[in-house]
Amino acid sequence: MQKLLYAIILFLIVSEAKAQENRGTLIPAKIIQRSIMVGGNLSGAYKRISNSTSNATEKGDRLRFDLDAKVGYFVFHDLALGVRGTISHARESMSGQISTRTTNILVGPFTRYYLDNGIFGEASAAVGVNNRPNRAKTDLAEFRGGVGYTIFINPKVAVEPGLMFCYYQEKRPAESNAKFTELGPAINLGLQVYLFRERKFKIVQP
């Protein structure tokens, strides 16, 4: 797992290949203002976790896979704001207990900024509520931040590998505010469609 993380970081730093520039414009930007991005990504992570109550703290591990859907709007050149929805499936193993599986849905905002060489930075937050039958209501929250690289396979479609660091929390108000948290990296692979806003320029001859 660590070797794979190092390989992605190395790829993001040393890659000399440039993503396809936005076409049909004279503006020097990777993605121009008022464009739209639509797509999603699949991510996976293995993390050490802790489950804290007023009486004790339990430790274990969690294998988690997330499927994201995103819609973003470029409010400025190279800067997008948008909304993401996440379906998260996890297998949790705590010390001395039987493994459990959960599926949650979270929704929240994200922002992304591009450099001219195709590297981008992204940050997001999301919340959700899990009301499973015969179990206490659980409040969910997640924060992500990381970097990725945009590889255009045609002028409007791009594959995007990335590395994100995630903080995830579950809180149960009915159980003395029992809180479960996890923190760690996640490997992403995304596919985005960019609906560029084309601009026409009229050449005025003297």
Side-chain angles (χ1 to χ4, degrees), residues 128-141:
V129 176
N130 192 327
N131 284 313
R132 285 173 288 181
N134 303 319
R135 297 194 63 175
K137 170 187 156 183
T138 303
D139 297 327
L140 313 174

Side-chain angles (χ1 to χ4, degrees), residues 7 68 94 172 200 202:
D68 290 353
M94 305 300 291
R172 300 180 179 91
K200 295 181 180 180
K202 182 178 180 181

Side-chain angles (χ1 to χ4, degrees), residues 21-33 77-78 116 197-199 201:
E21 296 288 342
N22 180 27
R23 297 178 179 180
T25 177
L26 299 180
I27 298 174
K30 179 61 63 179
I31 313 292
I32 65 172
Q33 186 180 16
H77 300 320
D78 294 329
D116 288 342
R197 173 176 175 261
E198 303 290 348
R199 288 192 175 186
F201 294 87

Side-chain angles (χ1 to χ4, degrees), residues 120-176:
F120 64 84
E122 182 175 307
S124 66
V127 295
V129 176
N130 192 327
N131 284 313
R132 285 173 288 181
N134 303 319
R135 297 194 63 175
K137 170 187 156 183
T138 303
D139 297 327
L140 313 174
E142 181 185 59
F143 302 92
R144 296 185 191 176
V147 295
Y149 188 74
T150 301
I151 305 169
F152 278 89
I153 56 179
N154 68 40
K156 297 184 184 296
V157 180
V159 176
E160 299 179 340
L163 178 63
M164 295 288 167
F165 287 86
C166 307
Y167 173 80
Y168 176 80
Q169 175 183 287
E170 296 182 2
K171 192 173 182 181
R172 300 180 179 91
E175 298 178 6
S176 302

Side-chain angles (χ1 to χ4, degrees), residues 53-81:
T53 66
S54 57
N55 298 322
T57 298
E58 301 175 333
K59 295 186 180 296
D61 57 75
R62 171 180 277 203
L63 179 63
R64 176 177 165 181
F65 295 96
D66 292 346
L67 180 62
D68 290 353
K70 294 179 180 177
V71 177
Y73 180 79
F74 286 81
V75 293
F76 299 106
H77 300 320
D78 294 329
L79 177 63
L81 301 177

